[in-house]
Amino acid sequence: MNRKKMTLARHVLEQQKYSPKATGELSSLLIQLGLAAKTIVREVSRAGLVNILGLTGETNVQGEAVKKLDRFANEVFVEAFGYGGLLCTLISEEMEKPLHLPENCPQGHYTLLVDPIDGSSNIDVNGIFGSIFSFQKRPEGEAHGTPEALLRKGSEQIAAGYIMYGPSTMLVYTVGSGVHGFTLDPGVGEFFLSHENIRIPTRSRAYSVNQGNYRRWAPEVQRLVDDFSGRGDEGERGYALRYAGSLLADIHRILLEGGIYLYPGSLDQPEGKLRLLYEAAPLALVVEQAGGRASTGTESILALQPKNLHQRVPLFIGSPEEVARAESFIRSRRRKGINDSGGERLP
Ligand code: AHG
Ligand code: MN
Ligand code: MN
């Protein structure tokens, strides 16, 4: 079949042959996800016209202002998976507690973890944002809804990916046998394979970070970013700075062109900002499946045992050589005991 005409549904079914983790059930869930994506796109593409911009006036479990589109997208995911019998639990950035779907649970073994809109600050300026998703399977013999059933390591995800509402809409997913990207043809209303078996460049002189946090970082992180920005001791030319303000958009660029994204912990917030279960872990699986790496700065994101649903984690993710460089920089500086807590000041 012409790969360009390979639909998402067909591809997911074909993946079952190659991936021991892919089952017919998982295929149905991923196809359902494509439907949720198309429903969100329909609103996003005419956002300025349909009273979907701006705030709801509420704050979410993270203490962050909820935008109307955050709430709308959350409702789309709840509705899309509320029937069909396969999804037992939905965990979302926008809901403090897991949503259990008891009528599905007798036969539904799956949990969906989702950041319905990642990059909310871009909504009102027609910038890029998206949705991040991860599917977990309830362990054999485990009752549903227990902490043991829900707090699974990233390495146990059975599928993960993101949908990006950009100039074109893309859905990128992995079921553990490579990373594949699809582009929505709006005329046909279908996702078609456009990026087969994405491989991340092993290195690239590009970095993504919110450098406004510089003064809040530990000295070893300040030195690392000094190095990336060309202010380091090595006297090397700096890396190009690219920061979209949406984790998945920054990572999409890095997946295709290489580089590193970092959201380190800070002195006042050592765990950083990003959430482990529905931001860092799904993107870590995607990036590692494409040949990259994802780390807290000292350990693998996928090996972390989550302690709670909305846990935050420091994140260093991207091209394998760039992440290895960041890790070894942080380790060696910590070993040397750099303790100039104020660090150097930017002029
Ligand atoms: P969300 O929109 O789900 O709250 O996530 C925003 C995240 C992430 O997408 C982005 O990379 C990061 O926050 C940006 O944070 P800063 O504004 O602190 O740079
Ligand atoms: Mn997010
Ligand atoms: Mn969000």
Side-chain angles (χ1 to χ4, degrees):
M1 184 178 192
N2 178 354
R3 308 302 288 174
K4 291 264 180 316
K5 291 291 172 207
M6 171 75 84
T7 62
L8 174 64
R10 174 86 187 267
H11 192 268
V12 178
L13 291 169
E14 284 207 0
Q15 284 286 296
Q16 277 176 240
K17 290 187 218 148
Y18 306 112
S19 173
K21 288 183 176 174
T23 64
E25 293 174 340
L26 180 59
S27 302
S28 303
L29 290 168
L30 285 165
I31 292 164
Q32 201 65 9
L33 196 73
L35 180 65
K38 285 185 256 181
T39 310
I40 295 171
V41 169
R42 195 183 53 197
E43 292 301 290
V44 163
S45 61
R46 50 195 184 124
L49 303 173
V50 290
N51 191 28
I52 197 100
L53 300 179
L55 300 167
T56 61
E58 298 150 19
T59 49
N60 68 13
V61 59
Q62 328 286 342
E64 295 158 351
V66 178
K67 300 224 166 181
K68 289 183 194 166
L69 198 60
D70 285 322
R71 190 170 61 190
F72 171 78
N74 191 61
E75 283 166 7
V76 169
F77 282 104
V78 170
E79 273 174 32
F81 290 96
Y83 62 95
L86 293 171
L87 198 81
C88 176
T89 309
L90 197 157
I91 291 168
S92 164
E93 181 193 12
E94 301 303 333
M95 300 187 295
E96 183 176 359
K97 299 222 158 66
L99 175 72
H100 290 297
L101 303 161
E103 63 283 10
N104 291 352
C105 290
Q107 74 276 27
H109 302 294
Y110 295 89
T111 301
L112 168 64
L113 303 101
V114 68
D115 179 355
I117 299 289
D118 174 68
S120 298
S121 69
N122 287 351
I123 292 173
D124 291 352
V125 297
N126 200 23
I128 293 184
F129 51 88
S131 307
I132 304 174
F133 62 88
S134 160
F135 286 101
Q136 303 262 12
K137 195 168 185 183
R138 182 178 359 137
E140 209 68 48
E142 188 70 61
H144 69 81
T146 62
E148 292 71 24
L150 300 178
L151 298 172
R152 315 299 305 169
K153 290 182 184 172
S155 55
E156 293 176 37
Q157 295 170 98
I158 54 165
Y162 56 86
I163 304 146
M164 183 171 162
Y165 314 109
S168 57
T169 299
M170 285 195 67
L171 188 153
V172 175
Y173 86 99
T174 180
V175 290
S177 54
V179 177
H180 309 284
F182 295 77
T183 301
L184 181 67
D185 181 333
V188 183
E190 268 293 356
F191 282 100
F192 291 103
L193 182 63
S194 53
H195 297 65
E196 191 173 14
N197 199 20
I198 298 171
R199 302 302 297 167
I200 193 169
T202 53
R203 55 183 309 186
S204 177
R205 298 177 66 85
Y207 75 117
S208 295
V209 70
N210 183 342
Q211 215 149 320
N213 291 327
Y214 188 90
R215 288 175 199 279
R216 300 168 58 211
W217 292 329
E220 64 271 16
V221 175
Q222 292 180 327
R223 293 296 89 77
L224 174 68
V225 173
D226 286 345
D227 238 40
F228 284 138
S229 65
R231 292 167 186 269
D233 305 333
E234 318 281 312
E236 280 186 32
R237 186 169 59 88
Y239 283 24
L241 173 62
R242 298 284 181 266
Y243 195 66
S246 161
L247 172 67
L248 71 86
D250 284 311
I251 287 183
H252 185 71
R253 166 189 281 277
I254 291 169
L255 211 52
L256 299 181
E257 300 196 338
I260 181 167
Y261 177 100
L262 50 154
Y263 210 113
S266 52
L267 297 171
D268 54 326
Q269 200 169 11
E271 302 307 316
K273 175 180 183 185
L274 301 174
R275 280 55 63 111
L276 173 59
L277 283 171
Y278 44 78
E279 290 184 316
L283 295 172
L285 188 68
V286 168
V287 165
E288 297 218 347
Q289 278 290 315
R293 291 201 42 210
S295 165
T296 63
T298 52
E299 20 178 359
S300 158
I301 293 284
L302 293 179
L304 282 187
Q305 174 59 55
K307 295 190 183 69
N308 62 69
L309 293 180
H310 299 288
Q311 174 177 343
R312 297 174 194 262
V313 71
L315 181 64
F316 297 74
I317 185 167
S319 292
E321 290 186 19
E322 304 302 342
V323 175
R325 180 182 167 201
E327 279 185 329
S328 75
F329 196 98
I330 286 171
R331 280 208 195 97
S332 76
R333 295 288 169 134
R334 282 197 186 151
R335 262 201 308 273
K336 282 192 218 151
I338 288 191
N339 58 4
D340 55 338
S341 55
E344 273 173 23
R345 296 293 181 216
L346 286 169

